[in-house]
Amino acid sequence: MKPLRLPAWTATLTWKAAVFIAVMCCALAALLGALVHVSVTSRTVDDSREKALTRLTEVGRLYEAGEPLPRFAAIDPPGLPAPLRALAARGEHGTMVADDRGRPTMWAAGPADGRALAVRVDYTQSAETIDALDRSIVGSSVLAIGVTLLAGAFAVTRVTRRLHLTAQVARRISAGDLDARVDDPRTKDPSRPQDEVATVSGALDTMASSLQRKLQSEQRFTADVAHELRTPLTGLSAAAELLPEGRPSELVRDRVKAMRGLTEDLLEISRLDARNETVDLAVHELGPLAERVVRASGTATEVRVVRDATVETDRRRLERVLGNLVANAHRHGAPPVVVTVDGPVVSVRDHGPGYPAYLLESGPQRFRTESGGKGHGLGLTIAVGQAEVIGAELVFARPVGGAGAEARLRLPEYVRLADADPED
């Protein structure tokens, strides 16, 4: 049997505060109502009891003088409660509230020659007063609880709204928007008192500003280093071409080429980090574009076009993404490497050991590869950045029902107005 789970909204701060306020208001209203009820009832009963005993004393004098009794007094009246009759028989005096022919009555009784001399006082008005008081207590308690709930909900909602705004800004920062700020007006004026929410908002803004400055400094450092390396690498490449042919010169040229590629990758990453890239959108057929990328790679890669699609994208950036995915599949995977076009989705699959666990969980990381692997982890990082620029979604996964690694790139499909469904 599945355990009963409460709805998600019951976990919100607003709901918890409302329940707490309601419970406390009900408890306070019940306590105050009980105290008022007991106090007023006790006073009303005492007044009626004193009045009944006073009448009993006066009637006792009339009885002893042999004078006729008033109509509210009698000897052993039929409506006298049995406890009072027994009390009078023992020679004692007492009072009791009971019904007399359907009306609330305060009875007082005492001994009279072995019998019970009793008087009655109409208790109807006092009972109605107590009932009216109880209704007033309940009505005022309900009104007070309602007003308190509304005021509490308004106050709590203001706090939770600010908390939701702070959480939203935190999510934007984690998504890469380092310009996002809460900008709580309470944090801008130091003379204004700050509550806990304002303190959290100010701390988040300070953290975001510090993080932004640090990342911008690192980006500038990376870009400056890459730019400074370009000039000596160009000279080193020209000098390597002048070396006599042989194994040593081949090694030098190979390392210079690798360093120039690394420098260009660093420059590209620094431009992507700056988020000031512009796209040159155009309409392209995805199948022929994927085939052109494979031919340019010079690798033994199979291209399968299940269903061609027309996309509106930046061709140069898309070719860069697909080229990096194909190169990574051949460098770190195993043949056969297959590029499949299925509508606006392009998948690149190899049959090697598959992507490492860290990459599947958090995406590619710069200068991190598996032990013994070649490369700097920049190819997939650039692919992810360029895919984000052109508005595509790049997902790294393990193929279903097979070994290897698979990267799926989903592009925004271009739909001509003439081919669109009129209902859409």
Side-chain angles (χ1 to χ4, degrees), residues 171-354:
R171 285 191 291 268
R172 288 173 56 190
I173 294 174
S174 64
D177 185 7
L178 298 182
D179 293 325
R181 298 291 185 274
V182 180
D183 288 334
D184 194 316
R186 295 168 181 79
T187 61
K188 295 182 179 180
D189 187 1
S191 62
R192 295 184 60 181
Q194 297 185 11
D195 56 7
E196 289 78 1
V197 180
T199 302
V200 173
S201 302
L204 179 63
D205 288 347
T206 303
M207 181 199 69
S209 299
S210 176
L211 180 62
Q212 186 178 33
R213 288 193 298 269
K214 182 178 179 180
L215 291 179
Q216 288 176 347
S217 176
E218 292 179 354
Q219 292 168 6
R220 285 194 298 269
F221 175 78
T222 302
D224 293 342
V225 168
H227 277 292
E228 292 298 326
L229 286 176
R230 259 184 164 182
T231 301
L233 283 176
T234 301
L236 188 60
S237 177
E241 296 296 330
L242 300 178
L243 294 175
E245 294 296 331
R247 182 60 180 167
S249 60
E250 291 180 1
L251 293 176
V252 171
R253 294 190 188 99
D254 179 69
R255 291 299 88 195
V256 170
K257 182 180 179 181
M259 290 185 64
R260 292 190 66 177
L262 176 60
T263 303
E264 295 299 327
D265 288 344
L266 290 175
L267 284 173
E268 187 171 357
I269 287 179
S270 66
R271 289 194 296 268
L272 292 173
D273 287 339
R275 295 182 179 272
N276 54 8
E277 295 283 273
T278 58
V279 294
D280 183 16
L281 296 178
V283 179
H284 300 280
E285 298 295 328
L286 192 54
L289 191 148
E291 293 174 349
R292 184 164 58 250
V293 170
V294 170
R295 286 197 302 270
S297 68
T299 59
T301 303
E302 180 184 357
V303 179
R304 299 174 183 173
V305 181
V306 178
R307 179 173 63 90
D308 202 356
T310 304
V311 295
E312 185 177 16
T313 186
D314 188 322
R315 181 182 59 82
R316 181 182 63 83
R317 297 182 187 278
L318 177 57
E319 289 178 349
R320 175 68 161 154
V321 174
L322 294 179
N324 282 12
L325 294 179
V326 171
N328 182 81
H330 282 281
R331 182 179 296 117
H332 300 286
V337 176
V338 181
V339 176
T340 304
V341 178
D342 188 359
V345 179
V346 183
S347 61
V348 179
R349 177 182 177 182
D350 64 72
H351 292 74

